[in-house]
Amino acid sequence: TYYLTGANGTSAPLPPPLPAIADMRLWLDGTDVSSMTLDGSNGVSTWIDKSGSGNSAVQASSVNRPVYTASVINGNGAVAWDGSDKSVTIPSAAQFISDSPWTLVILFKADVSATFQGLLQMRTVSDTPPRGFGLGFSNNFNYKDLYFGNYGTEIDSLKVTIPGTTTGWHYLVLRHTASGPSSVSVRIDGIDITPTTNPANASNQVDTIGNDDNGPYSGYLMHEIFYGQSVSGSDLVNLEAFLEAEIA
């Protein structure tokens, strides 16, 4: 455990760092402004992938850029979407769309006043039919629905109800544990959530964060992380401890 010592000699434990977990393929860190290229209005034109995999997110159009906002919670910054046509795009989703195990992690705070909001969309274009998934919010059950739209056989089309306060900060860990669309587990705020089937379909967007055909996102995104494995055991415990400390 590391400690930060103040001027008065008192010390407090530092929050845990993001644990080193094998096969990280994407890390968009909304707390690290040095990982972003901003325009004069703090619009994010490039959001550098800190995993080292080269999957940086970009937005060439200044009017469509989400905005970096400092000190949103606990002194941490985050990237903000305002419910209009804002998004960033990852150049290729091919390595994220697989029947092999993988884990998607998102730390977010959504303004769920809109009927439907698309948080992210990843799909292939080379497969026939395309494969992939979308993630967003619907207004079923008092806006507490997260929906997972599907393409092909990647995952089933699912929905889960967010526990607790809908409009607060939440962290989602979506794990694809094995081959097959039913092999998906969902954890929200460290709690296993049993998903139910959902008729929603994914949109036609490709590799897009913050918008899809279901509507634009409104809220904050602090972290998006992707691993090419199903994270479990002590790695999962340490990962969720890091996410919890970011917003505690």
Side-chain angles (χ1 to χ4, degrees):
T1 303
Y2 295 92
Y3 291 87
L4 177 67
T5 302
N8 61 359
T10 60
S11 62
L14 289 170
L18 180 67
I21 299 174
D23 207 4
M24 178 190 286
R25 301 183 185 180
L26 176 71
W27 180 16
L28 301 179
D29 182 359
T31 71
D32 183 5
V33 68
S34 70
S35 71
M36 306 171 202
T37 300
L38 306 180
D39 62 24
S41 302
N42 284 339
V44 179
S45 61
T46 303
W47 196 352
I48 296 172
D49 170 22
K50 293 176 64 174
S51 77
S53 300
N55 293 309
S56 299
V58 297
Q59 176 53 265
S61 171
S62 60
V63 298
N64 297 122
R65 291 170 182 162
V67 175
Y68 169 74
T69 306
S71 299
V72 173
I73 183 172
N74 291 347
N76 290 326
V79 177
W81 277 257
D82 62 4
S84 63
D85 191 17
K86 303 283 195 298
S87 66
V88 290
T89 300
I90 299 173
S92 174
Q95 61 188 297
F96 304 124
I97 308 303
S98 171
D99 287 329
S100 302
W102 48 257
T103 301
L104 173 67
V105 180
I106 299 176
L107 181 56
F108 65 93
K109 181 183 180 183
D111 172 10
V112 288
S113 58
T115 302
F116 292 99
Q117 295 186 49
L119 179 54
L120 66 85
Q121 174 68 48
M122 292 181 178
R123 72 181 184 100
T124 64
V125 294
S126 57
D127 296 322
T128 304
R131 297 186 304 117
F133 59 91
L135 172 64
F137 302 92
S138 77
N139 65 341
N140 297 329
F141 304 103
N142 298 317
Y143 303 98
K144 294 181 70 171
D145 246 7
L146 268 171
Y147 65 81
F148 304 86
N150 70 326
Y151 267 113
T153 60
E154 178 61 14
I155 66 174
D156 283 335
S157 193
L158 306 171
K159 68 179 179 182
V160 296
T161 299
I162 300 173
T165 304
T166 310
T167 56
W169 286 92
H170 298 282
Y171 51 92
L172 165 73
V173 179
L174 176 65
R175 294 181 293 166
H176 192 250
T177 55
S179 179
S182 298
S183 301
V184 175
S185 65
V186 181
R187 289 175 63 83
I188 299 178
D189 303 337
I191 301 170
D192 288 310
I193 305 294
T194 301
T196 58
T197 58
N198 178 33
N201 291 315
S203 76
N204 294 319
Q205 301 286 341
V206 181
D207 322 330
T208 300
I209 302 169
N211 201 353
D212 68 14
D213 286 350
N214 294 299
Y217 178 57
S218 179
Y220 294 101
L221 180 61
M222 186 177 289
H223 292 286
E224 180 176 341
I225 310 168
F226 189 94
Y227 300 95
Q229 62 154 307
S230 180
V231 177
S232 61
S234 60
D235 282 342
L236 179 61
V237 171
N238 294 333
L239 174 61
E240 292 186 335
F242 163 78
L243 297 169
E244 180 67 34
E246 293 284 78
I247 56 175

